[in-house]
């Protein structure tokens, strides 16, 4: 068991060309590399998945019960992804919710996450760096 799940939700597969002024210019492949570099010394392997559909996100969580932990950007599923929430309630390992943008500084409909209360930590607004910090936190936690 040395796989870290990196799970990104709807519309995150087009990072780099999706509203770069909000989400930055880094692509998902860049983020995957950044996370892989961060955990390399620990011997962890990153399993990266991105889905636009909630059902596929649910299945990815169900299939990841053997992982060491997860970094999850649920995208807009943070607002009403109830079946994803149910899947995460049964996920047995530490996981961190990451959002590239600071949703609190954006439209009001983004000002809630139904998932955050289940997460071991939540990072908003640090761009791609948020994924790196989440990876570091999970490695440190596993070492404790
Ligand atoms: C996001 C924020 C969400 O509100 C939005 O729906 C996304 C991206 C972020 O990473 O900042 O898809 O999760």
């Amino acid at each position: 068991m040395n796989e870290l799940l990196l799970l990104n939700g709807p519309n995150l597969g087009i990072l780099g060309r999706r509203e770069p002024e909000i989400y930055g210019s880094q692509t998902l492949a860049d983020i995957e590399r950044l996370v892989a570099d961060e955990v390399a010394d620990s011997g962890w392997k990153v399993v990266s998945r991105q889905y636009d559909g909630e059902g596929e996100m649910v299945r990815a969580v169900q299939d990841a019960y053997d992982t060491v932990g997860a970094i999850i950007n649920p995208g807009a599923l943070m607002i009403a992804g109830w079946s994803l929430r149910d899947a995460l309630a049964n996920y047995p390992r530490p996981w961190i919710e990451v959002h590239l943008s600071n949703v609190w500084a954006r439209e009001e409909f983004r000002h809630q996450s139904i998932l955050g209360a289940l997460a071991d930590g939540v990072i908003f607004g640090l761009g791609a760096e948020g994924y790196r910090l989440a990876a570091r936190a999970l490695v440190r936690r596993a070492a404790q």
Side-chain angles (χ1 to χ4, degrees):
M1 188 178 82
N2 66 351
E3 290 184 341
L4 173 69
L5 175 65
L6 172 61
L7 182 60
N8 282 277
N11 298 304
L12 292 164
I14 54 170
L15 286 177
R17 59 194 165 89
R18 178 186 178 194
E19 297 166 281
E21 67 286 1
I22 296 175
Y23 299 114
S25 55
Q26 281 170 290
T27 64
L28 192 51
D30 294 333
I31 290 171
E32 287 166 5
R33 264 192 300 276
L34 180 152
V35 172
D37 286 352
E38 187 62 41
V39 303
D41 287 348
S42 67
W44 289 2
K45 180 173 168 272
V46 177
V47 176
S48 179
R49 302 277 181 266
Q50 186 276 322
Y51 299 109
D52 291 318
E54 184 171 354
E56 295 161 305
M57 294 286 285
V58 167
R59 180 56 62 85
V61 172
Q62 290 174 355
D63 287 347
Y65 288 166
D66 283 344
T67 50
V68 287
I71 299 170
I72 302 179
N73 184 343
L77 294 174
M78 72 187 284
I79 298 164
W82 292 106
S83 60
L84 179 59
R85 188 186 192 282
D86 283 348
L88 286 167
N90 199 46
Y91 178 66
R93 308 298 304 170
W95 69 278
I96 298 181
E97 180 176 343
V98 172
H99 296 276
L100 292 149
S101 64
N102 177 3
V103 295
W104 302 107
R106 301 182 62 198
E107 305 95 320
E108 205 171 329
F109 72 88
R110 298 183 198 276
H111 294 184
Q112 61 161 332
S113 171
I114 60 165
L115 309 176
L118 299 177
D120 293 86
V122 183
I123 298 174
F124 292 105
L126 299 181
E129 182 65 12
Y131 288 86
R132 186 203 302 278
L133 295 173
R136 188 172 303 176
L138 288 171
V139 168
R140 289 211 173 146
R141 198 186 169 112
Q144 277 167 10

